[in-house]
Amino acid sequence: MVNLLQRHVNPNDTLGLNYQPTLSSQFSVSQSPNAICPPSYKRCTVNFIPQSPNLIGKSKIPFGLIVTPYRHILPGEEPVPIISSPQIVRCRRCRAYINPWVQFVEQGTRWKCNMCYLTNEVPGFYDWDPETRTQVDRMKRTELTHSVVEYQAPQEYMVRPPQPVVMVFVIDVSFPAVQSGMVAVAAKTILDTLDRIPNTDNRTKVAFITVDSSLHFYNLSANLSEPQMLVVSDLEETFLPLPCDLLVPLAESRSTICKLLTSLSEMYKTTANSQNALPKALLAAFKLIAPIGGKIVVMQSSLPSVGDGSLKSREDPKILGTPKARKIVVLLQPANGFYKSLAVDCSRSQVSIDIFCTSPQYGDIATLSGCAKFTGGSTYYFPGFNAARPEDAQKFSTELSHFLSRPIGLEAVLRVRASKGIRMASFHGNFFLRSTDLLALPNVSPDNSYAIEMMITDPISTQTACFQTALLHTSSNGERRIRVITLSLPVTPNLADVFSSADQIAISTLMAKKAVEQSLSNNIDFARDNILNTLLALSNSYKSNFTSQGQSSQLLLPENLSLLPLLSLGILKHTAFRTNGIVPSDLRSYALSMMYVYPPELCMTSLHPRFWALHTLEPTPEKAGESLTFPPLLNLSSEKLDRGGIFLLENGQDIYIWLGKGVAPQLCQMLFDKPAYEAVVPGKATLPVLPNEFSQRVLEMIRKIRTLRLLMMTTFPHVWIVKEDGDPNLKMTFLSQLIEDRVDMSHSYVQFLSVIRDKVSVLISQPSQQPLPFTLSFPDIARWKLLNKPLPSLRFHCSINRTAAVDFVGVALFLLLLLL
């Protein structure tokens, strides 16, 4: 137990993502250390499962799972083992897969399911190898020793032959797209990446559609010496100009494809057409690949202006940064239903849509990102893109190249099973919910994580509870596979065990993903208030059950939850949920879409950026073969900023280098090749490669950060140079990442803890009083006044349903009640 008001955050001790399992692998059937599920694949918000619904309700801890089933394997990690067996062993009743946490009974002839507890027969091949005709040790079977495995699926798991990799590139060639250089960079990147697009079975197919006010298709037949353009200007009814040769095998038509990509930017170099018929292009692409399935990759620079899904600018720059702006939830919602309807149709046909938006102005990310949300795709946003800036071209090219070459899963469904007494309540992420517990994923992105809220419906009578995720998919090499991830946790009747095992990383991730949905369905303030209410209820429960009356002036939480208030404050100050400062709606929508799919590791970096002092780097580099040692992490406070220092901060999306005004000229020369502080140019930058140890170590830090972010989230962070007396907007962007400080009207971390302590004290002093939402509606206030209870000293505002007209009688009644 720690008193947070007397404890300083030490990021080097508490911000690690290290995970201590609560259930020893010795309790697994094989006693293998690999039976423990790695938290990078799946983690639960509590690592002791409450025995009853009352116990989890009493704790006020959100109960859920965070699953990243298809994550990219990082350097040094073991790949997921592949199992090829005559039969996939599953429970006859609940259809769970055999795993390290089952039990063998009746002299090993039967196995007891750890989900529904039914006993099943053990197949004969478990102890006998028919090929070598020898006995085998079943306890060495991979499915009994590893919590994460992948089966090669037999014929009964296929309704058709495995889907090949299919990509249709829809490229905006309107005037803004050509002028910004997006078309040229996209064409060159695709051309350079053709050899790395998954094509191990030589079945990969590609097609290209370019779009302005018309649709341009390309006959890419291998029999042609040059690609043939077919222009469709009549867009009343979407049709394909050719029955074949628009979608062609990559291997066979490689020469024709290369010629198209080489000449694409020149073909539209002199265009003056500013219109864009993206809706019709999407319909055409869907029609082209619907019988097979695949990916539609959209590269968009201008607002769609032709067709049913045409869009207009909805943002009013005059109200940005005002309280009115965060109330206009419509800017965060789709402008029309066209793109969601299309996405649902795509999902049924195993088609996913990925969006690369390089709009120089308003791009309506809120609407376009819906295509990715419901098809398991991803959204990539490059605000103010201009290929004339090398940094912009490098970021776009690197992310697109990695996106095209990474392994993917196709035509997938995902199901989560749990032990008897536990039920899945709701899901958060990019997918289409086909049934109550089945997620449809036309594309399984390695970047995407999914949050599942759960509820305990009946008391759990066993000593352990198990959660199993099964992902049936087609791999990039054309094999049908089933990835099974099994997490087993102990069950407890003790509230102290529940709190001591709570996972603040999983809790914060679940809170952030829920806040995304609440922001879209209500407004930003509603989401922020729910974050505060969750933290308040949890803190109140812990203090009420585990502290004495003499500790009322303290804010107490267990050691494992000591970071939860700081991470909650990080959510409130994140670009997605921030209320102070100017946040354009496109940037906020993009931040919301990213937060919705972030894996826990990147979610933590986004909520609590990593912060280092570069000028403290050791002068001697590591020996050959040794990895770079980063300097100690710093607290996210401006108190750490030394006027004579250079600091680096990274939040998963961007890298900022802060220069104090008194920085030594020698450091400027060694890092920027500039004689003094005044000569350094702020803004987006590419650091020069210089022949000195300091420059090499900083560049290696940046390289490692970029490599990790590219693998984890297909993100290549920009480097921004921020000077102490430089651009005020850039400076404010950097300072807003220092979440322990007070910025504008937001609380500092110390102030935030004091607010939580005071509100918890109010609730403890009035035990009969229920925790109120921070946002009170007219009915809330009326109910409390009619019950003759004082309104608590919480910040509140009156909210009216945005679709309802103001009821003046209700307003009058409200004012009258306040006077009672």
Side-chain angles (χ1 to χ4, degrees):
M1 183 186 301
V2 294
N3 179 10
L4 299 183
L5 294 171
Q6 296 179 351
R7 176 172 180 168
H8 297 288
V9 175
N10 184 346
N12 295 286
D13 293 338
T14 59
L15 284 179
L17 293 171
N18 51 331
Y19 172 81
Q20 298 297 327
T22 52
L23 189 63
S24 170
S25 61
Q26 296 300 310
F27 291 96
S28 69
V29 68
S30 62
Q31 299 186 353
S32 167
N34 294 318
I36 302 297
C37 182
S40 54
Y41 285 96
K42 182 190 291 185
R43 61 197 309 157
C44 186
T45 53
V46 288
N47 291 306
F48 268 102
I49 304 302
Q51 190 178 58
S52 66
N54 291 338
L55 191 59
I56 188 65
K58 186 177 181 181
S59 73
K60 304 300 181 183
I61 298 175
F63 185 36
L65 292 172
I66 309 297
V67 183
T68 314
Y70 214 67
R71 58 180 293 272
H72 202 293
I73 303 299
L74 300 180
E77 293 182 341
E78 293 293 327
V80 176
I82 309 298
I83 300 175
S84 177
S85 63
Q87 175 189 347
I88 297 179
V89 184
R90 302 179 66 180
C91 176
R92 289 181 291 111
R93 180 163 61 194
C94 71
R95 305 302 294 159
Y97 296 79
I98 195 169
N99 60 79
W101 303 97
V102 302
Q103 293 179 350
F104 288 104
V105 295
E106 299 181 19
Q107 289 79 46
T109 60
R110 302 181 69 85
W111 63 275
K112 186 177 182 181
C113 176
N114 54 332
M115 299 285 181
C116 68
Y117 318 125
L118 180 74
T119 59
N120 302 267
E121 289 186 5
V122 176
F125 70 86
Y126 249 53
D127 299 305
W128 177 259
D129 187 343
E131 293 185 2
T132 61
R133 304 180 66 84
T134 57
Q135 288 285 127
V136 295
D137 183 1
R138 69 170 63 172
M139 294 307 172
K140 293 183 179 179
R141 299 191 67 88
T142 304
E143 61 266 40
L144 297 180
T145 59
H146 287 70
S147 60
V148 183
V149 297
E150 195 160 275
Y151 291 94
Q152 290 183 338
Q155 190 66 38
E156 57 262 31
Y157 288 84
M158 307 179 196
V159 295
R160 62 176 184 176
Q163 175 186 316
V165 175
V166 176
M167 294 186 182
V168 178
F169 296 93
V170 178
I171 304 175
D172 180 4
V173 291
S174 63
F175 176 74
V178 175
Q179 186 184 46
S180 68
M182 183 275 285
V183 176
V185 175
K188 186 177 186 309
T189 302
I190 298 171
L191 178 63
D192 294 342
T193 315
L194 286 179
D195 288 332
R196 301 200 303 276
I197 293 176
N199 191 25
T200 55
D201 56 357
N202 285 329
R203 296 196 304 150
T204 297
K205 295 184 176 184
V206 297
F208 293 85
I209 301 174
T210 54
V211 55
D212 45 28
S213 60
S214 303
L215 303 185
H216 312 88
F217 298 85
Y218 299 90
N219 183 346
L220 300 172
S221 171
N223 298 324
L224 296 176
S225 59
E226 297 286 339
Q228 180 184 19
M229 180 194 292
L230 303 125
V231 181
V232 177
S233 300
D234 183 2
L235 302 180
E236 287 297 322
E237 185 175 347
T238 305
F239 67 94
L240 302 177
L242 275 180
C244 58
D245 293 332
L246 298 178
L247 183 66
V248 295
L250 175 59
E252 293 179 11
S253 299
R254 173 66 183 269
S255 175
T256 315
I257 293 169
C258 288
K259 290 178 181 179
L260 171 65
L261 293 171
T262 302
S263 60
L264 192 62
S265 61
E266 291 296 323
M267 291 165 59
Y268 299 97
K269 188 174 183 179
T270 60
T271 186
N273 193 333
S274 296
Q275 292 186 295
N276 183 277
L278 176 64
K280 294 297 183 181
L282 290 174
L283 289 172
F286 171 57
K287 193 171 185 177
L288 180 62
I289 64 173
I292 308 175
K295 296 170 69 70
I296 300 175
V297 184
V298 179
M299 279 156 267
Q300 187 73 6
S301 284
S302 54
L303 276 178
S305 57
V306 179
D308 295 337
S310 59
L311 302 172
K312 296 180 180 179
S313 179
R314 299 183 286 164
E315 188 174 76
D316 183 359
K318 296 180 182 178
I319 67 170
L320 287 178
T322 67
K324 184 179 179 181
R326 64 178 186 262
K327 299 292 184 184
I328 305 179
V329 68
V330 68
L331 290 178
L332 304 179
Q333 295 176 337
N336 57 56
F338 171 84
Y339 296 93
K340 179 179 179 180
S341 177
L342 172 66
V344 172
D345 290 339
C346 286
S347 180
R348 293 193 185 101
S349 299
Q350 305 298 341
V351 175
S352 68
I353 303 176
D354 298 275
I355 305 289
F356 287 79
C357 184
T358 61
S359 178
Q361 297 176 349
Y362 178 73
D364 206 342
I365 299 296
T367 301
L368 295 180
S369 62
C371 293
K373 179 178 180 180
F374 297 102
T375 62
S378 303
T379 302
Y380 303 89
Y381 180 45
F382 308 86
F385 176 83
N386 186 349
R389 288 192 295 265
E391 295 80 14
D392 285 5
Q394 183 185 21
K395 177 179 174 65
F396 179 72
S397 178
T398 304
E399 292 184 8
L400 177 59
S401 178
H402 179 76
F403 167 84
L404 295 176
S405 58
R406 69 188 184 184
I408 55 174
L410 305 169
E411 53 178 351
V413 289
L414 184 146
R415 173 166 274 144
V416 181
R417 296 178 174 89
S419 295
K420 189 177 180 180
I422 301 175
R423 182 169 65 85
M424 308 300 126
S426 60
F427 300 84
H428 307 279
N430 284 5
F431 55 81
F432 180 72
L433 190 62
R434 186 176 294 178
S435 64
T436 55
D437 65 343
L438 187 67
L439 310 186
L441 299 165
N443 165 65
V444 189
S445 170
D447 298 345
N448 288 4
S449 179
Y450 310 94
I452 302 107
E453 290 185 83
M454 302 183 295
M455 58 190 302
I456 299 175
T457 55
D458 300 298
I460 303 173
S461 57
T462 54
Q463 293 183 344
T464 60
C466 194
F467 308 90
Q468 190 175 82
T469 302
L471 178 69
L472 174 63
H473 67 285
T474 299
S475 65
S476 300
N477 58 8
E479 293 181 349
R480 198 70 172 149
R481 292 184 177 180
I482 309 166
R483 179 165 294 191
V484 179
I485 306 169
T486 307
L487 171 66
S488 188
L489 296 171
V491 175
T492 181
N494 191 341
L495 185 62
D497 289 338
V498 177
F499 270 101
S500 66
S501 70
D503 184 344
Q504 59 193 355
I505 306 297
I507 293 172
S508 303
T509 304
L510 179 59
M511 288 169 59
K513 292 182 186 297
K514 284 186 64 176
V516 172
E517 286 205 353
Q518 292 165 347
S519 298
L520 300 177
S521 60
N522 290 278
N523 56 50
I524 298 294
D525 281 345
F526 183 85
R528 290 169 58 87
D529 290 341
N530 274 281
I531 293 167
L532 292 168
N533 289 332
T534 300
L535 179 61
L536 178 59
L538 187 152
S539 303
N540 178 47
S541 174
Y542 183 78
K543 194 168 185 179
S544 299
N545 288 283
F546 299 105
T547 62
S548 62
Q549 189 173 1
Q551 296 173 312
S552 59
S553 62
Q554 302 175 359
L555 179 58
L556 301 170
L557 281 175
E559 179 74 32
N560 53 295
L561 291 178
S562 60
L563 261 184
L564 188 60
L566 180 62
L567 295 174
S568 300
L569 183 62
I571 299 176
L572 299 176
K573 293 188 175 185
H574 192 271
T575 304
F577 309 106
R578 188 186 308 155
T579 56
N580 60 299
I582 298 176
V583 182
S585 59
D586 271 348
L587 186 59
R588 191 185 296 277
S589 293
Y590 175 66
L592 288 168
S593 68
M594 295 300 288
M595 184 63 71
Y596 208 43
V597 299
Y598 270 153
E601 297 85 356
L602 201 52
C603 188
M604 292 305 99
T605 304
S606 181
L607 301 180
H608 190 286
R610 300 192 295 170
F611 188 33
W612 299 278
L614 295 182
H615 55 278
T616 63
L617 283 169
E618 296 294 332
T620 304
E622 284 72 21
K623 297 179 182 179
E626 294 184 358
S627 60
L628 172 72
T629 301
F630 281 56
L633 287 166
L634 301 177
N635 288 82
L636 293 171
S637 172
S638 57
E639 292 180 357
K640 300 297 181 181
L641 293 175
D642 182 351
R643 296 197 69 186
I646 301 178
F647 299 84
L648 186 146
L649 181 146
E650 76 102 3
N651 61 8
Q653 286 288 325
D654 292 288
I655 297 172
Y656 298 92
I657 297 179
W658 170 277
L659 270 71
K661 195 172 181 179
V663 65
Q666 295 90 337
L667 288 177
C668 293
Q669 187 68 51
M670 287 193 297
L671 186 58
F672 304 107
D673 199 21
K674 300 293 182 182
Y677 169 85
E678 292 75 16
V680 178
V681 179
K684 263 181 222 173
T686 300
L687 297 185
V689 179
L690 301 174
N692 64 77
E693 294 177 1
F694 182 62
S695 172
Q696 292 170 7
R697 288 167 64 82
V698 173
L699 290 174
E700 180 64 9
M701 281 183 66
I702 293 173
R703 187 194 66 80
K704 283 184 172 293
I705 291 170
R706 283 175 160 172
T707 300
L708 181 63
R709 298 305 168 222
L710 199 63
L711 291 176
M712 292 181 66
M713 205 63 203
T714 314
T715 299
F716 187 80
H718 273 309
V719 173
W720 299 83
I721 296 177
V722 187
K723 298 176 68 173
E724 184 179 349
D725 60 354
D727 180 4
N729 292 330
L730 186 56
K731 180 180 176 181
M732 182 54 66
T733 300
F734 172 83
L735 293 177
S736 67
Q737 309 288 320
L738 305 180
I739 61 173
E740 294 186 36
D741 288 346
R742 178 182 176 89
V743 179
D744 290 341
M745 299 301 293
S746 63
H747 291 305
S748 68
Y749 179 51
V750 174
Q751 292 171 328
F752 184 69
L753 292 178
S754 298
V755 169
I756 298 300
R757 178 201 58 190
D758 293 344
K759 296 188 185 304
V760 170
S761 298
V762 170
L763 293 175
I764 290 179
S765 64
Q766 301 177 15
S768 62
Q769 178 175 304
Q770 295 295 322
L772 272 179
F774 279 65
T775 301
L776 300 181
S777 63
F778 290 157
D780 291 327
I781 298 172
R783 181 171 64 254
W784 277 73
K785 293 300 290 185
L786 291 174
L787 292 175
N788 197 27
K789 292 184 178 182
L791 287 171
S793 57
L794 302 179
R795 175 182 65 82
F796 65 90
H797 68 267
C798 303
S799 62
I800 304 175
N801 191 302
R802 63 181 183 275
T803 61
V806 177
D807 183 349
F808 290 101
V809 176
V811 174
L813 177 61
F814 162 74
L815 295 175
L816 179 62
L817 288 169
L818 285 182
L819 297 175
L820 292 179

